[in-house]
Amino acid sequence: MTLPFHAGKWGGGALGTVSLIAALAAGAAIGETSIPVDTVFQTAANRLWAAGYVLDPIDEGVIWNYRVARAVAAAACGASLALCGAILQSLLRNALADPYILGISAGASTGAVSVAILGLGGGLLSLPLGAFAGALTAFGLVSLLAVLAGRSSAAVILAGIACSQLFNAVTSFIVTKSATADQARGIMFWLLGNLSGVRWPDAGLAVPVALAGFLVCLLHARHLDAFAFGTNAAASAGVPVRRVYMILIATAAIMTAVMVSIAGSIGFVGLVIPHAARLLVGVRHGLLLPVSAWLGAVFMIFADILSRILIPGQVLPIGVMTALAGAPAFALLLIHRPVTR
């Protein structure tokens, strides 16, 4: 049974906006050192509108340059990964599809390791740029294999699995053969998801990509509804199947590549959040996509908060937190809605 969100789109939108702002404020206020929420809002007012509140410069710098930027980037990453999961599950008609089914995460990992350990790019490439290049390379290889294998949904999934295994093996080989102990620790921490080094330039990349991807997905919401009945039914309904398929797959690939290049490999968000959104609002993508993005953003912010406070004096990889929360949540979803086919 779904909640009656259809009758109150504006109310739901307002509630989602308020809850997202509250989550961002919590992400900025909660940490190893707690900061009052009113100080967070005063800092935002000073930075955005030159409000003139008298604040401690150190606190203001920590809030704005570190915590707010990190919370905004976390929200963009969570929303993007959840959107990618929603559209891939619809396009591929596979409940287990998520952004990493395309092998993009594995390719990003290989790109990052190649830059950090092998020095690929001669110092001109940063770790995020290396990850982005690796992600796009993996997407290109998966696309080529899928085309050669027949362009079907099953071909895309199998190509993604094969490429994931290939790139994971290459990453492990490079780390084992060439990395020092310190390099191996740093790379493994990044591979598990890490927002510790995120600053405003990263958030400035993540937010526009997330918004653009959201608009592309939303413009194709009706087409995604038609894909629920299969590609033949969608084609008979007038949907340009091949064009829509390629646009949305490419959108998912680019969004995932950018977010992985910023935050590392973060699992379960793209798998669990779309299923949770379907329980709330059903399968119509006009509502499913915004709710998935909202849930993904809020979930990622609170996962990041937990990664900072769960063990005093230590920051856990955010991918560990999303898996610890996502695996039980997915088990509950399976129990609530058993798989029958």
Side-chain angles (χ1 to χ4, degrees), residues 94-143:
N94 190 315
L96 295 178
D98 74 343
Y100 302 109
I101 199 70
L102 298 180
I104 297 171
S105 176
S109 301
T110 302
V113 167
S114 299
V115 169
I117 296 177
L118 300 181
L120 191 67
L124 298 177
L125 291 178
S126 64
L127 188 141
L129 283 177
F132 184 68
L136 292 184
T137 301
F139 173 63
L141 182 57
V142 170
S143 300

Side-chain angles (χ1 to χ4, degrees), residues 177-195:
K177 182 177 184 298
S178 303
T180 65
D182 288 339
Q183 285 177 325
R185 277 195 298 270
I187 287 296
M188 292 309 297
F189 193 81
W190 183 86
L191 291 177
L192 292 172
N194 179 22
L195 289 168

Side-chain angles (χ1 to χ4, degrees), residues 1 9-10 65 87 106 108-110 112 124 162 186 203 258 273 305 323 328 332 338:
M1 180 177 179
K9 289 183 180 180
W10 291 108
N65 295 319
I87 63 175
S109 301
T110 302
L124 298 177
V258 171
I273 297 299
I305 292 173
L332 291 175

Side-chain angles (χ1 to χ4, degrees), residues 23-232:
L24 290 170
I30 301 173
E32 291 185 8
T33 302
S34 296
I35 296 174
V37 175
D38 60 343
T39 303
V40 173
F41 284 110
Q42 289 172 358
T43 297
N46 284 349
R47 295 292 180 137
L48 296 175
W49 303 293
Y53 291 106
V54 179
L55 301 172
D56 182 275
I58 295 177
D59 285 346
E60 187 172 357
V62 168
I63 291 170
W64 185 255
N65 295 319
Y66 174 64
R67 291 192 179 178
V68 173
R70 180 170 175 158
V72 169
C77 289
S80 296
L81 294 176
L83 279 172
C84 291
I87 63 175
L88 289 174
Q89 287 166 14
S90 298
L91 287 177
L92 303 178
R93 302 186 69 198
N94 190 315
L96 295 178
D98 74 343
Y100 302 109
I101 199 70
L102 298 180
I104 297 171
S105 176
S109 301
T110 302
V113 167
S114 299
V115 169
I117 296 177
L118 300 181
L120 191 67
L124 298 177
L125 291 178
S126 64
L127 188 141
L129 283 177
F132 184 68
L136 292 184
T137 301
F139 173 63
L141 182 57
V142 170
S143 300
L144 177 61
L145 287 176
V147 169
L148 294 176
R151 301 175 184 267
S152 66
S153 298
V156 174
I157 293 173
L158 292 174
I161 292 172
C163 289
S164 291
Q165 295 299 316
L166 171 64
F167 283 106
N168 284 333
V170 172
T171 299
S172 298
F173 177 79
I174 294 172
V175 172
T176 302
K177 182 177 184 298
S178 303
T180 65
D182 288 339
Q183 285 177 325
R185 277 195 298 270
I187 287 296
M188 292 309 297
F189 193 81
W190 183 86
L191 291 177
L192 292 172
N194 179 22
L195 289 168
S196 297
V198 169
R199 297 295 182 268
W200 278 115
D202 303 299
L205 173 63
V207 172
V209 170
L211 290 175
F214 174 70
L215 289 176
V216 171
C217 295
L218 203 58
L219 288 173
H220 292 86
R222 291 182 179 273
H223 294 159
L224 285 168
D225 289 339
F227 270 96
F229 302 99
T231 54
N232 291 334

